[in-house]
Amino acid sequence: MQWIGIISLSIACCVVYGILHDQVTARICVEYFTIGHPPVFSTQDPTLLGIGWGVIATWWVGAILGVPLAMVSRLGTAPRKSTAQLFRPMLMLMMLSASFATVMGTVGFIAAWNGWVFLVDELATRVPPEKHVAFITDLWAHSASYFAGFVGGIILMVHTWRSRRLNTTPTKAEPSVGHEVAGNAF
């Protein structure tokens, strides 16, 4: 049951993150979703696009993270991690992803505003010129989210595996102060 719980937690966290992230980015540049993505939803409404793409673009990320996370949390003889024990680390991963997306979206905005990066080919002609900077801002924020989720997910798995291993090491009992220690009789 914990296996399903861990995978479900991962999918749920990623989907909620995706919806919240897309609520922001759809308002920065709705064209990122209407022109930069396949026409899955016949709407221009940023709220609906944010919800729809938030689910479509992240449920599978949660599954890809959740399955190996469940494995490193549950396999073997070391003390197992429960779904509840992984809740806070998953929230931390989502918060770090959001922070990285914010920073890189800002960097993308500055780079596009200064003409250091720009849209090319079909996107340059399909996206209205006054939306190019906003489109690049969204692109950089979304790319940063996937990167942070990928790297952060690996770090979370390694940390989870190592923390389980550390819990299996027996600790040497310290002698009490004021008591004899073997071989040191007073």
Side-chain angles (χ1 to χ4, degrees):
M1 203 59 171
Q2 288 295 318
W3 283 77
I4 294 170
I6 293 168
I7 295 167
S8 297
L9 171 68
S10 180
I11 292 170
C13 284
C14 288
V15 167
V16 168
Y17 173 84
I19 291 170
L20 294 174
H21 184 272
D22 289 358
Q23 290 304 309
V24 174
T25 56
R27 283 160 177 77
I28 292 171
C29 184
V30 74
E31 291 81 4
Y32 180 78
F33 296 93
T34 60
I35 296 172
H37 287 65
V40 175
F41 306 104
S42 59
T43 183
Q44 298 283 320
D45 182 83
T47 301
L48 296 176
L49 288 168
I51 293 168
W53 281 108
V55 173
I56 289 175
T58 58
W59 74 267
W60 58 273
V61 175
I64 290 172
L65 171 61
V67 170
L69 182 59
M71 292 172 68
V72 301
S73 298
R74 305 298 298 171
L75 289 177
T77 58
R80 293 179 172 105
K81 295 282 186 178
S82 69
T83 305
Q85 290 172 306
L86 294 170
F87 184 75
R88 185 175 174 165
M90 283 296 296
L91 287 181
M92 294 295 293
L93 175 57
M94 298 303 117
M95 290 171 49
L96 289 170
S97 294
S99 297
F100 191 62
T102 301
V103 168
M104 292 310 295
T106 302
V107 170
F109 171 82
I110 293 167
W113 183 263
N114 287 298
W116 303 332
V117 296
F118 43 85
L119 296 178
V120 295
D121 299 328
E122 185 181 345
L123 281 177
T125 57
R126 291 186 63 214
V127 175
E130 67 275 7
K131 291 296 197 163
H132 284 204
V133 171
F135 192 97
I136 291 170
T137 301
D138 276 8
L139 178 63
W140 282 45
H142 280 263
S143 298
S145 281
Y146 284 111
F147 179 79
F150 177 75
V151 172
I154 291 172
I155 291 169
L156 175 58
M157 286 182 255
V158 169
H159 173 74
T160 300
W161 181 258
R162 290 188 70 200
S163 71
R164 289 183 63 209
R165 296 291 158 240
L166 292 174
N167 287 337
T168 62
T169 308
T171 58
K172 186 176 179 180
E174 296 281 331
S176 301
V177 177
H179 288 85
E180 286 187 28
V181 178
N184 289 335
F186 295 96

